[in-house]
Amino acid sequence: MLFTSYGFLLFVAILLTLYYVLPARFQWKLLLIGSYVFYAFSGPKYLLYLVAVTIIIFFAAKRIGQNLNTQKAYLKEQKDALSKEEKKNYKTAQKKIRFRYQAIAVLLCVGILAVVKYTNFFLANVNSLMAAFGSSGQFSFLSIALPMGISFYTFQALSYLFDVSRGTVKAEDNFFRLALFVGFFPQLVQGPISRYGDLSQTMYEEHPFDGANISYGLQRVLWGFFKKLVIADRMMPAVTTIISDAQTYDGAYAFFGMLFYTIELYADFTGGIDVTIGVAQMFGIRVMENFNLPYFSTSLKEYWRRWHISMCNWFRDYIFYPVSSSKAIQNLGKWARAHLGDRVGRRLPVYVSSFVVWFLTGIWHGASWNFIVWGLLNFAVLMISEEFEPLYEKFHGACAWSNGRVYHGFMVFRTFLLICVLNMFDCYASVGETLGAIGSVFSGRNWDAVASGGLLELGLSAADYAVAAAACVIVFALSLYKNKYGDPRTAITAKAYPVKAALWFSMFLAVLIFGAYGIGYDASQFIYNRF
């Protein structure tokens, strides 16, 4: 049941009606039932994965929470009887016990994710190695379908486990409350990856009917549909045509393909998150923002602070910080300072930790060398930029004109093109094909074909391009407004009723008339579904 299907709209309408008709004490329980019904539409058997992850995390976190409570009570009781060294030894022993529970849960949950998502990728690489060494034997691939959103809900569940272990949130005693946190249906498709401490603040409360929440939520959903149906799904045929035949559609076609895909990806992903946040708001639940005008970034570093914020924060908090502060990395830094100098000693732990983060970020996005290379290229650009940061500061200090609007616009444009190039690894079938497509952009091929109407042979008419361009202008203009004045919905709500009604009805008509429907409408998927 996809967000842009009629079935989803009917499902939300029924669930929302029951939510505010039933006694408020049953609201979160109804959401749990509704979330599991929603997920069952992707295949009842896939519920087993969701339930398994929830059970593992629930019992591991409960054990860790009990251990923390026992430790606290014991140290309080024995605070005068134990020496400082004895307290330290006791804490160390208890921490090891908690770590074992955490490690077992992580291995089980990540193991489930690895089996369903990476088994065939692993077998394909083993087969390639065997063939390279002259072996005629080959392993057969397994028939494993990837459960919808498994990467998202696994990471969300793990974030809860880590936070309990750190003592930042208390372990949940009610299994079903945790099950709702892990499986909350608006987030199952493509996130964001919420934290328990944030989502639980509004998820389990009793929510009286609030017309403002319904109105704001519906507006956000409509905006998401506009981006998804009018822009992303309209651009999809052209992108699909270009990347499906890289030999024919290279050069100028590859250039326009990477532009179209970057626009499609933004409209698709942010549109889906708009629907998620809007639907949650109608139920009175606050879900974090996952984007902050990422294409306005002046550097790749800034871009990753603005794009898929929940994922970036997850890798920062649960991978980068633990790795960089680990004993092994600290010892590596000490060795480097002693043998390679103070600067290298200070930077090497950052390099290693960042490498781990970006390798895992790449493989998290997909079981493909394309995504691994994509992650490592992001790592390389970020680390090179970090090293040149002192030179950038000197340049901006010496050249006053570099602090003006024109140069700022150049940096935004430059960053956008870099993102477009990196996004090409998300499109093509292999690393070689991707590099060939990138290289062909500079070859000068097919520019004459494009100039003579070649873009009209990609499955889109002139009217399609005009509609997509007009929609992009609207999105860009509202993004500029949001960047300067805040949420446009606030300004629209403040206007007279006829004006705001006309504005939102116009948006509704735009989605209805200009949305890309037709054959396969209900089957079209959000790009991040596969993650």
Side-chain angles (χ1 to χ4, degrees):
M1 190 192 303
L2 299 171
F3 280 3
T4 52
S5 67
Y6 300 122
F8 177 75
L9 296 177
L10 179 61
F11 170 79
V12 172
I14 293 173
L15 192 63
L16 197 62
T17 301
L18 293 174
Y19 188 78
Y20 288 112
V21 168
L22 292 175
R25 66 181 183 276
F26 296 120
Q27 286 179 331
W28 73 264
K29 302 177 181 69
L30 176 66
L31 278 183
L32 174 60
I33 295 170
S35 296
Y36 272 62
V37 170
F38 172 83
Y39 199 76
F41 275 97
S42 69
K45 62 182 179 181
Y46 298 134
L47 281 171
L48 294 174
Y49 296 99
L50 179 60
V51 171
V53 169
T54 306
I55 290 173
I56 292 167
I57 294 297
F58 174 76
F59 284 105
K62 195 167 185 180
R63 289 285 188 176
I64 291 171
Q66 289 171 347
N67 179 276
L68 284 169
N69 291 335
T70 301
Q71 174 182 299
K72 183 179 179 180
Y74 177 78
L75 290 175
K76 183 178 180 180
E77 181 183 336
Q78 302 292 328
K79 64 178 181 179
D80 297 326
L82 297 176
S83 66
K84 186 176 181 180
E85 187 65 24
E86 287 173 329
K87 290 179 182 178
K88 181 180 178 181
N89 292 337
Y90 175 76
K91 288 181 180 179
T92 300
Q94 296 307 306
K95 187 176 182 179
K96 288 180 179 178
I97 294 173
R98 294 194 296 273
F99 179 78
R100 283 199 290 270
Y101 287 126
Q102 178 177 293
I104 291 171
V106 170
L107 287 173
L108 289 174
C109 292
V110 174
I112 293 172
L113 177 62
V115 167
V116 299
K117 192 170 183 177
Y118 304 109
T119 297
N120 287 336
F121 175 64
F122 174 77
L123 293 175
N125 283 282
V126 171
N127 287 341
S128 297
L129 284 173
M130 292 172 64
F133 285 98
S135 174
S136 59
Q138 295 281 287
F139 290 102
S140 299
F141 292 132
L142 302 181
S143 179
I144 304 177
L146 185 63
M148 180 182 70
I150 187 171
S151 295
F152 287 102
Y153 68 70
T154 299
F155 271 34
Q156 182 151 311
L158 289 174
S159 73
Y160 162 76
L161 177 70
F162 297 146
D163 288 345
V164 170
S165 185
R166 293 175 176 183
T168 56
V169 300
K170 292 183 178 180
E172 178 58 66
D173 292 325
N174 189 319
F175 171 81
F176 298 104
R177 284 164 62 98
L178 181 65
L180 176 58
F181 167 74
V182 176
F184 184 43
F185 78 94
Q187 296 188 140
L188 282 173
V189 175
Q190 54 184 355
I193 306 170
S194 296
R195 305 291 177 89
Y196 183 80
D198 297 328
L199 197 59
S200 63
Q201 292 180 12
T202 54
M203 176 168 278
Y204 310 115
E205 292 179 347
E206 296 182 359
H207 297 104
F209 181 84
D210 187 335
N213 273 342
I214 300 295
S215 175
Y216 267 57
L218 281 172
Q219 291 169 23
R220 190 70 181 262
V221 170
L222 184 59
W223 182 235
F225 276 23
F226 178 82
K227 288 193 282 188
K228 168 65 175 172
L229 295 173
V230 181
I231 300 177
D233 285 2
R234 186 170 300 279
M235 299 303 299
M236 182 174 60
V239 174
T240 302
T241 300
I242 292 171
I243 65 176
S244 62
D245 189 356
Q247 297 299 318
T248 302
Y249 297 105
D250 62 356
Y253 287 111
F255 174 77
F256 282 100
M258 74 178 190
L259 291 179
F260 292 166
Y261 177 73
T262 299
I263 293 171
E264 179 196 354
L265 178 63
Y266 174 82
D268 185 285
F269 196 10
T270 63
I273 295 298
D274 287 332
V275 175
T276 292
I277 294 174
V279 169
Q281 186 171 10
M282 286 192 286
F283 289 98
I285 297 173
R286 186 172 58 252
V287 173
M288 70 171 293
E289 295 289 344
N290 210 28
F291 296 91
N292 181 22
L293 307 174
Y295 290 168
F296 286 7
S297 303
T298 58
S299 67
L300 191 62
K301 182 179 180 180
E302 182 183 357
Y303 170 78
W304 283 114
R305 288 199 300 264
R306 293 169 171 258
W307 176 275
H308 206 343
I309 297 169
S310 62
M311 180 204 71
C312 296
N313 290 349
W314 196 99
F315 278 103
R316 179 198 65 196
D317 294 344
Y318 303 124
I319 302 296
F320 180 82
Y321 288 152
V323 170
S324 61
S325 61
S326 66
K327 188 175 181 179
I329 295 298
Q330 293 301 312
N331 289 337
L332 176 65
K334 292 177 182 178
W335 178 90
R337 278 194 293 272
H339 295 84
L340 303 174
D342 186 64
R343 176 172 173 78
V344 175
R346 285 187 290 106
R347 301 299 299 163
L348 190 58
V350 177
Y351 290 154
V352 174
S353 303
S354 297
F355 177 87
V356 171
V357 164
W358 282 105
F359 176 84
L360 293 177
T361 302
I363 200 71
W364 178 82
H365 274 81
S368 164
W369 281 106
N370 268 33
F371 287 110
I372 294 175
V373 172
W374 168 85
L376 297 183
L377 283 175
N378 273 281
F379 160 76
V381 173
L382 288 167
M383 290 302 99
I384 291 171
S385 298
E386 191 76 16
E387 289 303 311
F388 280 93
E389 189 65 33
L391 291 179
Y392 297 152
E393 292 178 1
K394 289 182 180 179
F395 168 71
H396 288 297
C399 304
W401 55 267
S402 67
N403 300 306
R405 291 184 178 182
V406 174
Y407 193 79
H408 182 272
F410 162 74
M411 290 192 294
V412 170
F413 180 69
R414 173 201 63 191
T415 303
F416 177 76
L417 287 181
L418 174 61
I419 293 163
C420 288
V421 172
L422 291 172
N423 282 343
M424 293 179 77
F425 286 91
D426 192 12
C427 299
Y428 291 94
S430 66
V431 174
E433 193 170 84
T434 305
L435 294 175
I438 293 172
S440 75
V441 171
F442 304 97
S443 68
R445 291 194 295 270
N446 284 323
W447 286 98
D448 291 340
V450 168
S452 60
L455 294 181
L456 298 176
E457 299 173 0
L458 301 176
L460 299 182
S461 66
D464 287 320
Y465 285 110
V467 169
C472 286
V473 170
I474 292 172
V475 171
F476 180 72
L478 288 178
S479 297
L480 286 175
Y481 182 93
K482 182 179 180 181
N483 189 46
K484 189 171 184 179
Y485 301 108
D487 192 342
R489 291 180 299 173
T490 303
I492 293 173
T493 302
K495 295 186 178 298
Y497 182 80
V499 175
K500 61 185 177 185
L503 287 171
W504 287 115
F505 186 66
S506 298
M507 181 67 70
F508 173 74
L509 288 180
V511 174
L512 195 65
I513 296 171
F514 298 112
Y517 305 102
I519 297 173
Y521 161 59
D522 283 342
S524 63
Q525 291 198 18
F526 285 88
I527 292 172
Y528 264 69
N529 277 18
R530 64 179 181 266
F531 302 141

